[in-house]
Amino acid sequence: MTAVAKVIVDVPTMQTDRPFDYAIPNALADAIQPGMRVWVGFGRGSRQVAGMVVAVDTVSDYTGELKPVLAVLDYAPVLDAEGLALSKWLADTTFAFWITCIQTMLPTMLKVDTIKSVTLGPKPTPAAVALLAGANSRPVADLPEATVAKLIQADALRVDYAAKDRAKVKTADYIVPQPLDWAAEKAKLRPNAAKQHALLALLEGWQAQGEQPAAASVKQVTRAQLVAAAKRGWLTLESREVYRAPYEQLDHRAKTAPLALTPEQATVVKTVTQAVSARKPETFLLEGVTGSGKTEVYLQVMAAALKRGQNAMMLVPEIALTPQMVHRVKGRFGATVAVMHSGLSDGEKFDEWRRIQRGEAKVVVGARSAAFAPLANIGVFIIDEEHESSYKQDDAPRYHARDVILHRALLAHAPVVLGSATPSLESRARAAKHVYTRLVLPHRINQRPLPPVHVIDMRQAMQQGGQGDFSKPLLAALQARLARHEQSVLMLNRRGYSSFVMCRECGFVVQCPNCDISLTLHMDTHTLRCHYCGHEEPIPTRCPSCGSNKIRYYGTGTQKVEQALHALLPTARVLRMDVDTTRKKGGHERILNAFGQGEADILLGTQMIAKGLDFPNVTLVGVINADTGLSMPDFRAAERTFQLLTQVSGRAGRADKAGEVFIQTYNPDHYAIQYAQNHDYEGFFAQEMAIRHRGNYPPYYFTIKLTVSHQDENQAAKAIYSLAAQLQRVLSPSAIVLGPSPAAIARLKNRYIYQLVVKYKREPRLAETLAAVLDQTQKSTRSGFFVAIDREPQSFL
C-alpha cells in the first residue's frame, strides 16, 4: 500500500490553503515524517514548489493518480507535533494562510527559494535557440520577461524548476594531532627549522592533553603551515559544524549569584514557583513599579523551573532592551541561554533556533518572534513589559505574542508571568475579574522613592527664558547634572530633524508622492524621507509650488534636538538613539554600552530608550514633548502616553543617587500627564476604564478591523461598502460598526485604503463570515485588491 503525504504547499492563496495528497515513493517511505519540508510538483505543467508535510497517511482523499513527492529537504522534522498544531491554530485565529504561519514560525534560512530556468521546448524556434545563446538552460531572471512568456506559450521554451534551500551550516577546521613518535619526527628536521620544531611541540602537547583546537584560534601558526603539516601526516584538518553565536563572549564569564529578595519579591517568587511545581497553567499579572526588581524575580522563577529539569521562555518587547536583558540572563545561566530577535543575522537566528530545537538551550530570551521558538518541556513563560504594542505583528499573520504564549502555556501546563509597571488595560481588567492572578511590587528594591516629576507648561516656557525645545528648568537641570558628572536621558518620540517642510509664502508642504503624508527632514543625509514607503528626495531651496525661497522646517525631531544640545551645552557629550542610528547590526548594544561606560553625558532617543534600561548614574529624565502621542486620533492615545511617561520616568534615580523628571507639554492638565506625574497607575486605570466603558471600547468590547486597499480609490471604496453590507447581514443589533471610512493615512505606497471596525461582545457567525470574505476576495486579488483582517488591532488608524 502506497503511503500518502499530506502537504501544505508554498502557494499562499485561499484555494490552496489546505493539505494536498502526494504519493510517497518507496525510496522515501522511511524518510518522510510530519514536520518535514518537501519538494513537489503542483498544478498543471512542470511547476514545482516547496511544501510542509503536516501528516502521513495510508489513505488519500483524492480519487485520481497522485503526484509523487520529488525530494525531501530535511533529514529530520523542523516542526514537531506541537509546532504543527500551533501553526494551524495561528492560521485559524488570525485569518492567515497556513503556509504563511508555518513560515513565520521557522527561521528565514529554512525558506526554500524556487529557481526557474528555461530549456528548449517541443517546438523550438530560432528565437528560442538564440535566447539560450548555446547553453542548455538559462535562469528566467536573466532574460526579458515578455519574450520568455511568448516563447513558453508557443512551446518553444519549457520551464524547469529547482529548489534552492537557504539553510547553510557554518563549519570550521579543527586540528587533530596524529599518534606519532614526536621525537623521531623532530630528528628528521633540520636543526634551524624553528617554525616546524615549534609546530611539532604544539602538536605533541595537544595530543598529550587530548586537545583538538580550532585552526582559526591558533594564532602562532599560519594556514599554509597547517596544510603542509597535514601533508606530512602530522595532523588532520577536520571540518566540524560550529554555531554562529551572537553573544559568545558572555558564555564563559563567571555566573552571577542570586540576589537577596525583599519580602515583596520573595512572596511573588514563592507564589509563581508553586504554580511551576504544580504544573498549573495559571496567568500572573506582576504589577511592579519601575526599579522594584522584576528582573530578579524573573531570574529566580526561571532558576526554579531549571532546577526541576524544565525549561524557561522570556519575551522582551524591543531589540534595544535585549542586550541588557541578555547580559542579565546569560550572566545567571551562561551558555544554556539562546537569544532570538530581529537584530541578529539570518545565520545567527538559524543557529540559535537549531540549538533550541536540539535541546542544547534551556532558556530562550527574545522579542516577539521568540514566542514560536521550538523549546520543549517549558516550565514557565515570562513576558516583560507585557503592555507593549510591539508584541503585536502588523502584517499577516497578525498575531499578538501574548496570545501565542497563553495558548502554548495551556498545552504545556505551565504558568505565565506578565510583568509591567503599567499593565495594559486588557490585562489589568482580567486581573480585576480574577481571570489573571494579580501580584504587586509597590516599592523600589533600594527603598528609594520614585523620582519627583515636574510638569512644565510649554505655553509659558518661552516667556520664562526657554530656548527652542528646552524650557529654562530643564536646561538648568541638565547643566546641574553636567557639573556633578551625572547622566541624563532625554526622550522625544519623533526621529529626524523636523516634522515637515513648509513654504511660508503659499503654505505648500512637501508631501510624499506615494503616500498622503508629509516628508520628514533628515539633516544627516540632507534628504526628505517618507517613514512609510522609504521615498527620499533632496531638500528644496525654493518652493516647488510658488518659487519662493521662504521654505522653512517646522516641528522637531531627534536630529534637531541633538544639534540644539550641542549649541546650548557645548561641553556635553551626546549619544542619539533612534532608528537612524541603530540601523546597523549591533547598533543598540554599541550605544548602550558606550552610555553605560560613561562615554556620554546625555542619551537622547525615541521611545526605545524608555523601557527596561538600568543605568545607576542616570539622575535626570527629560521628556521634550509629551504631546506627540496625545494628539493621535486613537482610543489608546491616553493609555500609551501614560505608559510611556511612567516608563521613561522610571529610568531616573534607580541606584543610590536621587532622580528627577521633567515633562514638557502643551497639555499639562490632561489626566494621562497628571496621573503619570503622581506615578498613579491605579488612578489612571479607573478613569480610563470609565472612559472606555462610555465609548464602548476594549476591554469592554472585542474588536476586528477590516481593511481594503486598491490603486483606484473608487474601487477600494466600493469594495469596503460591499463588505460592510455583507457583515451587517450576520451581525446582531448589539454589534457596533465604525465606518466604512478612509484610513487616517488614506493613501500609502500608491494604494488607497478604506477600513471598517466591528466592536462586539458575542457574534457566533462573525468568524465564519470573515473566513468566507477572505475566500471571496482572493479572486479579486488579481484585480489589484488587498483585504486584511486584524483581530484586536492595537490602533484603529
Side-chain angles (χ1 to χ4, degrees), residues 78-80 82-83 86 104-107 311-315 338-341 349 352-358 361-378 381 399 404-405 408:
V78 294
L79 282 180
D80 59 12
E82 184 206 350
L86 183 63
T104 298
M105 293 172 60
L106 295 175
N311 299 327
M313 177 178 288
M314 180 179 183
L315 301 191
V339 183
M340 298 185 76
H341 59 72
K349 289 180 200 169
E352 290 291 87
W353 182 89
R354 286 189 302 144
R355 285 183 60 221
I356 298 165
Q357 193 197 39
R358 293 170 174 177
K362 305 298 181 186
V363 177
V364 171
V365 179
R368 179 179 63 225
S369 61
F372 300 113
L375 190 65
N377 189 28
I378 303 176
F381 295 85
Y399 68 91
V404 176
I405 291 299
R408 291 190 70 176

Side-chain angles (χ1 to χ4, degrees), residues 679-742:
H679 304 285
D680 185 3
Y681 173 80
E682 291 301 313
F684 173 80
F685 171 71
Q687 180 159 345
E688 183 68 8
M689 284 291 281
I691 293 170
R692 299 277 185 94
H693 188 264
R694 288 197 298 270
N696 298 323
Y697 281 106
Y700 292 100
Y701 276 73
F702 297 113
T703 56
I704 291 239
K705 182 168 75 171
L706 199 66
T707 306
V708 174
S709 69
H710 195 276
Q711 290 185 327
D712 184 315
E713 185 175 9
N714 289 330
Q715 293 291 334
K718 283 179 185 177
I720 195 72
Y721 275 94
S722 172
L723 294 177
Q726 186 176 348
L727 284 174
Q728 290 284 11
R729 288 195 289 270
V730 301
L731 292 173
S732 68
S734 64
I736 302 167
V737 178
L738 305 180
S741 63

Side-chain angles (χ1 to χ4, degrees), residues 71 100 110 126 205 242 285 339 361 367 393 448 514 541-542 590 622 649 652 664 700 740 789:
T100 304
L110 283 179
V242 293
L285 178 63
V339 183
Q393 171 89 356
R448 283 270 180 188
N514 309 315
T541 54
R542 290 188 170 275
R590 278 192 295 274
S649 297
Q664 299 185 158
Y700 292 100
I789 299 173

